[in-house]
């Protein structure tokens, strides 16, 4: 019995052992292959879930980006209209200032003329009479013109202050927009 051996009451050929080893290896390889396939399937399912999650996140982020771009465009339009409104207001105040300034200059020239007339009358006649009444009339007109001048000058300084403040607010507003 050299080529036959006895195992558990059965007789096996010595050449059957390598075959059995090969069968065992095949069985182990098949179980490893099955485990790899199962693992690959599990990874595939996990990757599909991850892809779906990433797609949903991407969709949400695109919608959010679109909304932000729309709101930024609206904000930009609103800021542009605010700046245009401020420019219009500044131009309006500048025109008012210019008209007040021209009125002040006109009144100053009238005051100068009245002063010159008063000097002429005061040099020629100092007696009581029609000329002194005219002098008093001219002096009262001069006083009224001075009052108007002072009022115009006060209004001028107010508008200058308003223009200065609007310019400062414009600078601050531009700085706030850029921030």
């Amino acid at each position: 019995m050299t080529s036959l051996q006895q195992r558990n009451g059965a007789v096996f050929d010595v050449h059957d052992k390598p075959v059995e080893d090969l069968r065992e290896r095949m069985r182990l390889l098949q179980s490893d292959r099955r485990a790899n396939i199962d693992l690959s399937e599990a990874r595939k399912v996990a990757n599909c879930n991850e892809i779906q999650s990433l797609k949903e996140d991407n969709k949400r982020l695109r919608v959010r980006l679109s909304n932000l771009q729309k709101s930024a465009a609206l904000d930009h339009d609103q800021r542009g209209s605010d700046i245009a409104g401020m420019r219009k207001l500044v131009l309006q105040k500048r025109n008012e200032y210019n008209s007040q300034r021209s009125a002040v200059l006109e009144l100053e020239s009238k005051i100068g003329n009245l002063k010159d007339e008063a000097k002429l009358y005061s040099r020629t006649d100092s007696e009581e009479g029609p000329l002194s009444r005219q002098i008093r009339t001219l002096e009262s007109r001069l006083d009224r013109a001075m009052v108007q001048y002072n009022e115009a000058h006060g209004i001028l300084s107010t508008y200058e202050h308003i223009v200065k403040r609007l310019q400062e607010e414009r600078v601050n507003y531009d700085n706030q927009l850029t921030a």
Side-chain angles (χ1 to χ4, degrees), residues 72-99:
L74 289 175
D75 287 346
H76 179 69
D77 290 344
Q78 184 179 12
R79 279 187 238 133
S81 66
D82 288 345
I83 291 172
M86 291 299 285
R87 284 184 179 151
K88 184 178 178 182
L89 183 62
V90 166
L91 287 175
Q92 180 183 5
K93 295 300 179 186
R94 189 173 289 150
N95 288 338
E96 289 175 12
Y97 167 78
N98 288 339
S99 65

Side-chain angles (χ1 to χ4, degrees), residues 144-177:
R144 279 186 256 134
M146 285 299 290
V147 167
Q148 287 178 348
Y149 167 78
N150 290 334
E151 287 176 359
H153 189 68
I155 291 171
L156 173 70
S157 65
T158 301
Y159 280 119
E160 286 175 343
H161 180 69
I162 288 171
V163 167
K164 181 181 175 186
R165 181 172 170 110
L166 286 173
Q167 287 172 344
E168 290 172 0
E169 286 179 4
R170 178 179 169 204
V171 168
N172 290 336
Y173 184 74
D174 288 340
N175 289 338
Q176 287 176 353
L177 290 178

Side-chain angles (χ1 to χ4, degrees), residues 4 33 46 63 67 82 86 116 154 163:
L4 297 176
R33 188 174 73 81
V63 167
N67 290 338
D82 288 345
M86 291 299 285
D116 290 342
V163 167

